[in-house]
């Protein structure tokens, strides 16, 4: 009897599936374009992501298919789309976790560029300018030799956690309030307010934050469905942050 060499690579017995994709096609810049679902079929490969599958389709079947990508590592957020009705990143979605038939559509709420490509950057920039999501400090003469004050490590960790937001738009696309009112800042906006409120270097007060999000376009517009928390690809603590901000803003409103 011959001994089995455990170091010999074993050939995979798993048969590759044939995946069928139904993709919403529409180019708003083409007057002749009509929204429709178009089907494609590809053979699944080992370790295939949805991003790889879409590139296979574009390279070998349909070069006109529009979708976005930059980093391919879940950092840029540009490949977010609706995958079987749920917003997620194409580069972080393994086809082995999907059924044989997959339906893809662009994120709702945002301006459509074409097919699966939407302009999240335009909305994100407007939201950031509206909420002034940058560090506000005391005006003083710059001293290059001055050592920055130490920050409490726990506070620094909380700030870092919220800074991991990649502005992919998944939380906004999943939000019921955002579908009803375009001026809603969404979980991404409230997360940024929570981040700067934590930062001891920011000189703004709670009253200043109340002016920014203390109405129905901010924390009081949230219906607490918390789909934003469920779909965030970076698993940010959106649920706890929104709940805290709502309690704090309600206290300010009552006292005012």
């Amino acid at each position: 009897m011959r001994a089995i060499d455990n170091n010999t690579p074993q050939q995979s017995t798993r048969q590759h599936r044939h995946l069928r994709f139904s993709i919403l096609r529409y180019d708003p810049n083409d007057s002749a374009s009509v929204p429709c679902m178009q089907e494609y079929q590809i053979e699944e490969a080992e370790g295939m992501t949805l991003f790889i599958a879409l590139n296979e389709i574009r390279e070998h079947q349909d070069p006109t298919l529009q979708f976005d990508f930059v980093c391919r590592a879940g950092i840029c957020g540009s490949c977010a789309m609706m995958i079987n009705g749920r917003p997620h990143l194409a580069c972080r979605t393994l086809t082995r976790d999907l059924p044989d038939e997959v339906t893809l559509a662009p994120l709702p709420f945002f301006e459509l560029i074409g097919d699966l490509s939407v302009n999240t950057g335009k909305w994100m920039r407007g939201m950031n300018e509206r909420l002034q999501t940058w560090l506000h400090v005391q005006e003083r003469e710059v001293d290059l030799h001055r050592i920055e004050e130490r920050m409490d490590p726990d506070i620094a960790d909380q700030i870092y956690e919220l800074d991991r937001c990649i502005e992919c738009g998944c939380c906004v696309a999943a939000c019921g309030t955002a579908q009803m009112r375009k001026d809603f800042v969404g979980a991404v906006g409230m997360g940024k307010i929570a981040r700067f409120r934590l930062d001891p270097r920011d000189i703004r007060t709670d009253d200043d934050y109340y002016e920014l999000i203390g109405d129905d376009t901010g924390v009081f517009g949230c219906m607490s469905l918390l789909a934003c928390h469920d779909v965030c690809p970076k698993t940010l603590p959106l649920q706890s942050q929104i709940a805290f901000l709502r309690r704090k803003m309600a206290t300010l409103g009552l006292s005012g």
Side-chain angles (χ1 to χ4, degrees), residues 26 34 42 55 73 76 96 107 161-162 165 191 194 207 250 252:
Y26 177 56
V34 177
I42 65 169
N55 271 283
C76 71
R96 70 186 181 201
L107 292 183
E161 179 71 5
L162 293 173
C165 174
D207 288 332
L252 291 173

Side-chain angles (χ1 to χ4, degrees), residues 89-106:
L89 303 180
C91 69
R92 295 288 297 273
T93 301
L94 291 168
T95 57
R96 70 186 181 201
D97 297 329
L98 298 173
D100 294 349
E101 298 184 3
V102 183
T103 300
L104 302 179

Side-chain angles (χ1 to χ4, degrees), residues 106-177:
L107 292 183
F109 182 84
F110 299 102
E111 177 185 340
L112 178 65
I113 296 174
D115 299 337
L116 303 175
S117 175
V118 297
N119 193 345
T120 55
K122 180 179 178 180
W123 185 87
M124 292 293 175
R125 176 172 179 173
M127 180 272 299
N128 282 309
E129 291 175 348
R130 172 181 164 191
L131 299 183
Q132 302 176 32
T133 55
W134 53 83
L135 195 63
H136 291 64
V137 297
Q138 293 281 0
E139 293 185 5
R140 59 191 176 197
E141 184 178 352
V142 176
D143 183 358
L144 298 179
H145 301 288
R146 181 177 178 273
I147 298 177
E148 188 175 33
E149 296 179 7
R150 292 178 60 86
M151 185 183 296
D152 182 278
D154 291 337
I155 297 296
D157 286 343
Q158 294 179 56
I159 292 173
Y160 171 75
E161 179 71 5
L162 293 173
D163 269 339
R164 293 195 303 111
C165 174
I166 57 176
E167 297 189 353
C168 61
C170 286
C171 62
V172 180
C175 177
T177 302

